[in-house]
Structures are given as C-alpha cells and as structure tokens.
Amino acid sequence: MLFRSSLLGSLAATRAAELKLAALFSDHAILQCDMPVPVWGTAGAGEKVSVSFAGQSKTATADKDGRWRVVLDPLRVGDAGALVVKAAASITVNDVQAGDVWLCAGDAFMSRSVGNVRPARAELASKEFPAVRWFRVKTTAAKEPQRDVAGSWTISDRKSVGDFPALAYLFAKAMQTKTGVTVGIIEATDPEPVSIQRGGKVTGSTVEAWISEPTLRALPVAKPIFDFYESKSELRDALTEYESALGDWKLKTGKAFGAELRELEKREPDVWYDYVAEMRKAGKPAPTDPPRKPTVESLRMATTHAANLHNGMIAPLAGMAVRGVALSLGMANAPRATQYRTLFPALIHDWRKAWGREDLPFVFLQQARATHPNKDPRALCELREAQAAAASTDRKSTRLN
C-alpha cells in the first residue's frame, strides 16, 4: 500500500512538472512584430526554461507555482520558423511567423462566420486567400481569472475560410492587403445570439461580462448590477421565465411526442434534459431539448454575468503582444445605454491596464440601426451616442460605422 501511494505521488509530481506552453503558442502561430513578445507557460517549480526563435534565445526559471515567462526582443516582419522551448523536456512549435496580431472580441456579431454572413460569402469562391490566420478562444465563463485558454490556429484557405469569423476576417484581410504583413486573429467571443425580451431580459454578451471584477466594483454605476446578482431577484425572475418556457415546450412537445412526454413527466424536470439526450444518443426519435431549471450556480456562470467572460477569456490573454483590439460589443446593453456610457470606457481602461499599455489601440464596431433585436430606436440611438462619445474622448480608439 505504501509503495502504491509513493508511486501515485511520483506520478502526480511528474504530471505537475510537465513542460507546457500557453495555448496561444502552438503550430501556425503568429507573433507580433516590432515590439517585445512575451512567451509563457508552466514547468516544474525552479526549473530553468529556454525559449528560442528567429536567432534569439531567452531563459527563465519557473516560480514556486511552476509559472515561467520570457520576453523575446522585437521581431522583424518575415521572421519565421520553429519556436523551441527546452527544460527537462522540450517542445517544438512549427510554422511560426512574425506579423500583426489583433484581438477580436465581443458578442455574436463578431463571432458569426464567413459562411453565415451574406456579404462575406463571396470569400468562399475566392481563388486567392490573404495571409491571415485565426486562433479561436473557446467560449468560457468563469468565476475566477483563469491561467490559460483552449484553442488552436487555423490558416485561411478554401476549406477553412467559411468558418472564420466574418467581421474579423474582413478586417484582417483589409489590413493585410494594405500592409502586406501576415495577420493573426485572436477571436474571443460569445456566440450566444443577442436578444432583449419583454421585461428587459437579456441574452448575449453584456459589456460588464468582459470587465474585471475589481474595476467593476470601483464603479458606482455598476453597483445595481451586483445588487441584482447578489439578491434573490435574479433567481426569482429566472424561475418565472423557466416555468413559462417549460410550459411552451410541453405544449409543442406533446403534439409530436405525447408518449415520450408522459414518460418524462414521471421524472423530475431537473433530469428531463439528460433524459432527452439519452434518447437521442440511443438513436430514438426525441423532442427538442427542454429548458434547464436555473440555479444560483448556473446563473453565476452565465455569460451575461459580470466579469465572467473576462475571467475565462481575457485574463489568460492579458499581456500578449498585439497590434490592437477590435470589438463588437454593446447591443445587449442597449436598454441600459446610460450605464454603458460609463462601462464601455471602463472596459477600454481595464484592458489597457491588464496589458500594461496605455497606448493599446481599440477599434470598435458602432452598432447598426437595423441590427437592434428589440427595435427600440431610442435605446439604440443612446447606445450609438455612448460609443461615439468613447471614440471622441479617446484618441486611441476608432469606431467603424
């Protein structure tokens, strides 16, 4: 028994000491040119790590938590090759290039793919594709700041371009055509469709979900947001909506799946979703997924919740070398446009602080009148005005109409 415990302890230590790179530094990666480039990962505590690329080599020592970080000297456009990391083990990242990197973040408007946006579909028939590469960060909501993201790099070609995020791809294509420099897109988005329903219920990304909690807590205008989350009002409202949605689902389901619905009703509603999934997995005809009953925990993990997307998708990227940030964000905040006037500049300041770059450029899409899902022209006008105000008071921000 003692031998088994020692062996398990040894294996755990070996896994803990495994040399790893952050997910951004993987095959086909684009590293930002013309500025220092941080590269980071994990290894055994106290382990010496060397990173080599384009004729230079840097070293660091992993701290007590196994974290290490080096900073490469500014790279030149055209630098390319393998990124080699060595410690007790070694990692070789292939086909790495120096170019321009843009963090493209925000709501469903930024995440919609080339193949699903009519004006962008012409790209599918193109015979030539620009030097653009794409890293999609897996959509992740988290209660605490995360260390890393999940994702991988994709090169634009005939087979892949239809999956690229349309806004980011067309922006990158324009930049690449103008500069001749390979462009890397880091897409960090929430693909949940923006919807503003009766009573003010919002789905899709809210601006506060992308701001760190310390920054939000310091803003008086954000206090009502936290008061709502920390009261029982959020759960009470969510349960009311759930009962209504469940009734609608049962009505529709009973018409085509009467027997299945009667079988489901023998069980608690909490397990209906899993039961339907089992039916589908077994190859049986199954109704659409029933709504899930909300809980305090599920609401806390929602992508609309304050700081959640910042914790899961932005905090792990903070400090990476980028040319700038492109944003599409705000539609879900249209009913609270006055509040957005403060929150949007706060997001810009928050990210610049996280990157340690007060000159970090921001480009943002000013929401179009025709895209507002609630068809409330006054709310949309106030939102557009708030975005315009951010651009006019911040010389490093640019809006795209």
Side-chain angles (χ1 to χ4, degrees), residues 162-234:
D163 295 325
F164 273 56
L167 281 177
Y169 177 78
L170 294 176
F171 172 74
K173 180 181 178 181
M175 297 294 292
Q176 199 277 327
T177 301
K178 181 179 179 179
T179 65
V181 176
T182 300
V183 177
I185 302 166
I186 311 293
E187 180 204 350
T189 60
D190 175 14
E192 175 76 18
V194 177
S195 174
I196 306 171
Q197 303 163 5
R198 290 181 180 180
K201 169 65 178 177
V202 173
T203 62
S205 280
T206 57
V207 66
E208 60 265 23
W210 297 90
I211 304 174
S212 70
E213 185 166 340
T215 294
L216 282 172
R217 293 281 186 185
L219 297 173
V221 73
K223 186 177 184 301
I225 296 173
F226 287 104
D227 287 347
F228 179 71
Y229 289 149
E230 292 164 4
S231 71
K232 295 181 180 179
S233 299
E234 183 185 23

Side-chain angles (χ1 to χ4, degrees), residues 6 32 39 51 86 134 151 171 190 235 259 264 266 288 313 330 356 360 366-367 372:
S6 300
Q32 180 59 50
V39 178
V51 177
K86 292 183 178 181
W134 164 47
F171 172 74
D190 175 14
L235 181 59
L264 284 172
K266 296 177 183 178
T288 58
M313 303 172 73
L360 181 64
Q366 189 169 34
Q367 303 294 344
H372 190 253

Side-chain angles (χ1 to χ4, degrees), residues 94 179 238 340:
N94 296 305
T179 65
Y340 182 87

